[in-house]
Amino acid sequence: MTAGEMLAATVPMVRTLNLEFLESTAERAVIRMPDQAEYHNHLGGPHAGAMFTLAESASGAIVIAAFGDQLGRAVPLAVSAEIGYKKLAMGEVTATAVLGRPAAEVVAELDAGERPEFPVTVEIRRADGAVTGEMTVVWTLRPNS
């Protein structure tokens, strides 16, 4: 099961918004949200909450792709998230997430008995390529024991 399939199976909001996982690797995750009138704001573009969910889902996809082999001993949890809306989003939007620290470094901290934290940065773009939003999600791997 890919990271995108795992999120779609376990996170109802991913299915609700009809998010499409285009890429999910340990280096990058790309998710597209189609233009859907039922999730528009008062200006006719995607609602801020829908864009937040899109970006947070992209960050979760890269976390699962990068640390899926650690799920037997640690649970990934979002610690904080900050989003900035830069331009009006209209139509279909795509979120691209990038891991902010090397995965090996994070796993080494987990191996040392620590609870590592690491950022994931996300850009949200319109179909014309304009960046409409930027998000940073800080994640942790909480050891099971």
Side-chain angles (χ1 to χ4, degrees):
M1 186 178 285
T2 68
E5 291 168 340
M6 181 182 279
L7 282 174
T10 60
V11 180
M13 280 300 292
V14 169
R15 295 188 307 275
T16 298
L17 291 177
N18 300 306
L19 302 183
E20 180 184 356
F21 291 81
L22 305 176
E23 179 181 343
S24 53
T25 69
E27 291 78 37
R28 190 171 104 123
V30 182
I31 302 177
R32 180 173 40 225
M33 183 172 62
D35 187 21
Q36 302 168 89
E38 62 270 30
Y39 303 115
H40 282 178
N41 60 21
H42 60 290
L43 299 173
H47 188 277
M51 290 196 306
F52 184 99
T53 300
L54 169 68
E56 195 275 340
S57 296
S59 78
I62 199 168
V63 169
I64 295 299
F67 303 109
D69 60 341
Q70 303 300 316
L71 295 181
R73 67 181 184 141
V75 175
L77 299 170
V79 174
S80 65
E82 183 175 326
I83 192 165
Y85 301 101
K86 306 297 182 186
K87 289 187 179 196
L88 182 61
M90 296 299 281
E92 172 183 288
V93 288
T94 303
T96 302
V98 177
L99 196 60
R101 289 180 57 201
E105 186 179 287
V106 174
V107 172
E109 289 179 13
L110 187 62
D111 289 341
E114 299 175 27
R115 183 175 168 168
E117 290 190 2
F118 52 94
V120 175
T121 58
V122 184
E123 281 190 340
I124 304 168
R125 292 182 181 271
R126 298 187 304 225
D128 68 2
V131 174
T132 63
E134 296 173 333
M135 176 185 253
T136 299
V137 182
V138 176
W139 288 83
T140 189
L141 295 179
R142 185 192 73 200
N144 289 338
S145 53

